[in-house]
Amino acid sequence: METEIRFTHRSLVERSKSGDRTAQYQLYELYVDAMYNVSMRFLGIKEDAEDIVQDSFVDAFKNLEKFKYESTFGSWLKRIVINKSINHLKVKRIPLTTIDNHEYHLTDEVEYEKVDTINMFKVKSGIEKLPVGYRQIINLYLIEGYDHNEISDVLGITISTSKSQYHRAKKKLVEIINTL
Amino acid sequence: MDQFEKYIRDNKQVFNDHKADRAKIWAHIEPHLPTNKPKVIPLWKSPMIGKAASVLILIGIATMVNLTFFGNGNSQTNEISQELQDIDMHYKGLVTYQVQLVEKNKQLSKADKEEFLSFMVELDEEYNDLILEMHSSLDNEQVLEAIVSNYRKRIELIENLLQQLNESKIKDDHYGYIL
């Protein structure tokens, strides 16, 4: 019996690889909501997110042979969704990271932890109010759980840029939350 | 990780508040998926299989040509294997040769020859029955053995007859010599 988390839904994945439409639909059902939410967090527009999810599943099923259980199927699929979402934003020419002060690697540890009264709804609406670039990095780090290595890969930036941008984004987020 | 980050990560299910329109999205996905076909391994792409297939086709054509132009519709001989044919020919030749010897023998009266040949006709009929039997069950060893023993009987019969004739001839010669 497989106990490793990487092999979650292995039989469904294997059947989908061989073109079993029922298995493909079952996988789709299991992951569609999660993937739609990922895309919505990046894009914020229902129609755009639907397009991205649709493209991602088509790509995933067409390239399923390449999935070798190096991660879970879910995180493999999520990476596709995230890449497509970020590419979509690039095509729309929305700057992914704010261009201000890239050269300064901030070490100013502001007391932005002092948000005792935070509630998740404030956090959520605070993230939505962030500039797009900041929102990406907050999404990737805090919600998707990516580390700076992965973020640098996804966004095509250096690890140190990822770290500095994240700190700026977090500072901005706390500021916004405190005004709510 | 500070408390703020931990708090957000621990409560991130709040961010999963959207419900996808499953039917609508699937309707757009499905037409783009490859049709549900079992995987076909193209055997003809393997050079070895290709060569083997060519050889088989050549053998097939050769057999067809052979049957069409050289078979002459003689289905009986086609059905009997080459080995059986050889055996059959061997014995048939022997019998024919010896029957001719008997027929040409001047010492035998016409009545004796007819009597002898009637035996041979009986054995011929038995032989034909056995051949028919063999066509319906080629693998039957008993039938094959019966055919061979049928031939042997005929040969034996002829040999005995000829031997008797020769013996009487020798006797006669000897007798003449003594005289």
Side-chain angles (χ1 to χ4, degrees):
Chain A
M1 191 181 157
E2 292 294 354
T3 49
E4 271 208 74
I5 196 162
R6 286 185 296 136
F7 295 107
T8 313
H9 306 308
R10 187 180 193 173
S11 72
L12 275 182
V13 171
E14 286 305 310
R15 280 164 52 208
S16 299
K17 276 185 184 178
S18 61
D20 182 333
R21 189 55 47 83
T22 314
Q24 287 171 342
Y25 185 73
Q26 282 176 284
L27 268 184
Y28 165 80
E29 274 207 309
L30 282 165
Y31 289 100
V32 64
D33 280 337
M35 297 305 127
Y36 179 65
N37 275 292
V38 169
S39 194
M40 273 301 280
R41 287 197 285 272
F42 282 93
L43 305 176
I45 300 166
K46 186 173 169 279
E47 287 74 21
D48 287 2
E50 282 177 353
D51 283 350
I52 293 301
V53 168
Q54 175 194 315
D55 281 1
S56 299
F57 272 102
V58 170
D59 269 21
F61 286 135
K62 280 184 176 169
N63 295 292
L64 206 48
E65 283 300 320
K66 293 176 190 162
F67 172 63
K68 306 286 185 199
Y69 301 97
E70 284 151 359
S71 61
T72 62
F73 173 75
S75 53
W76 182 75
L77 181 61
K78 189 165 92 173
R79 183 62 179 264
I80 297 174
V81 173
I82 288 175
N83 283 338
K84 281 191 180 291
S85 300
I86 288 166
N87 279 338
H88 183 79
L89 292 173
K90 276 183 189 164
V91 169
K92 286 177 110 178
R93 299 185 185 279
I94 295 168
L96 295 182
T97 52
T98 50
I99 48 170
D100 56 324
N101 300 328
H102 257 225
E103 63 272 32
Y104 302 114
H105 294 276
L106 294 182
T107 51
D108 53 336
E109 291 296 321
V110 197
E111 302 87 45
Y112 40 50
E113 292 96 65
K114 290 180 179 173
V115 274
D116 301 330
T117 55
I118 53 167
N119 70 57
M120 284 309 290
F121 297 102
K122 278 190 174 180
V123 172
K124 194 166 173 287
S125 77
I127 290 174
E128 281 164 9
K129 286 182 166 61
L130 280 172
V132 176
Y134 281 161
R135 196 167 70 218
Q136 308 313 316
I137 211 151
I138 289 286
N139 271 339
L140 288 169
Y141 188 81
L142 283 183
I143 300 165
E144 311 308 341
Y146 280 21
D147 60 26
H148 287 296
N149 199 8
E150 289 170 304
I151 294 170
S152 72
D153 200 23
V154 167
L155 294 180
I157 56 176
T158 64
I159 292 172
S160 60
T161 306
S162 171
K163 283 179 181 170
S164 65
Q165 283 298 99
Y166 171 69
H167 284 290
R168 287 163 194 274
K170 195 167 80 168
K171 187 183 169 192
K172 185 78 180 164
L173 178 60
V174 172
E175 278 173 21
I176 293 172
I177 289 168
N178 283 335
T179 63
L180 293 172
Chain B
M1 192 188 298
D2 58 35
Q3 285 301 309
F4 176 71
E5 289 169 334
K6 192 174 181 302
Y7 182 75
I8 292 175
R9 282 192 170 175
D10 288 348
N11 294 283
K12 62 183 175 187
Q13 73 278 1
V14 173
F15 296 97
N16 287 317
D17 55 345
H18 296 288
K19 275 274 174 195
D21 187 341
R22 294 179 176 210
K24 179 186 166 190
I25 297 175
W26 181 253
H28 285 105
I29 292 171
E30 201 177 12
H32 298 286
L33 297 181
T35 49
N36 192 2
K37 274 191 290 191
K39 259 192 175 176
V40 177
I41 300 162
L43 279 177
W44 58 88
K45 284 188 180 169
S46 158
M48 281 303 290
I49 301 282
K51 282 174 192 163
S54 313
V55 169
L56 275 179
I57 289 167
L58 281 176
I59 291 172
I61 291 169
T63 313
M64 288 290 286
V65 169
N66 192 29
L67 284 176
T68 315
F69 295 102
F70 304 109
N72 289 329
N74 191 350
S75 60
Q76 283 191 351
T77 40
N78 286 334
E79 282 170 11
I80 303 166
S81 71
Q82 189 60 43
E83 197 179 0
L84 282 174
Q85 273 186 52
D86 291 344
I87 294 168
D88 197 58
M89 286 299 287
H90 173 74
Y91 280 114
K92 201 172 257 177
L94 270 177
V95 169
T96 317
Y97 172 66
Q98 292 185 332
V99 167
Q100 279 176 351
L101 280 181
V102 171
E103 278 174 345
K104 283 176 186 171
N105 198 304
K106 287 167 186 171
Q107 288 179 314
L108 287 167
S109 68
K110 208 177 176 184
D112 284 339
K113 281 182 186 172
E114 273 174 8
E115 196 192 356
F116 167 73
L117 289 173
S118 73
F119 278 118
M120 295 305 287
V121 169
E122 262 182 44
L123 284 166
D124 271 347
E125 280 168 5
E126 188 193 311
Y127 168 76
N128 288 333
D129 289 342
L130 285 168
I131 288 291
L132 284 175
E133 182 71 24
M134 191 183 71
H135 288 318
S136 60
S137 55
L138 193 61
D139 290 335
N140 194 333
E141 277 189 23
Q142 281 182 318
V143 178
L144 295 177
E145 276 169 17
I147 291 172
V148 173
S149 73
N150 176 284
Y151 270 122
R152 279 196 187 126
K153 257 183 212 164
R154 284 196 275 185
I155 292 160
E156 228 173 73
L157 203 67
I158 300 161
E159 278 178 341
N160 283 343
L161 185 73
L162 291 173
Q163 203 179 353
Q164 279 171 30
L165 288 171
N166 286 337
E167 271 172 14
S168 64
K169 199 180 170 186
I170 290 164
K171 232 184 221 173
D172 285 349
D173 288 352
H174 187 63
Y175 181 71
Y177 180 74
I178 291 168
L179 279 175

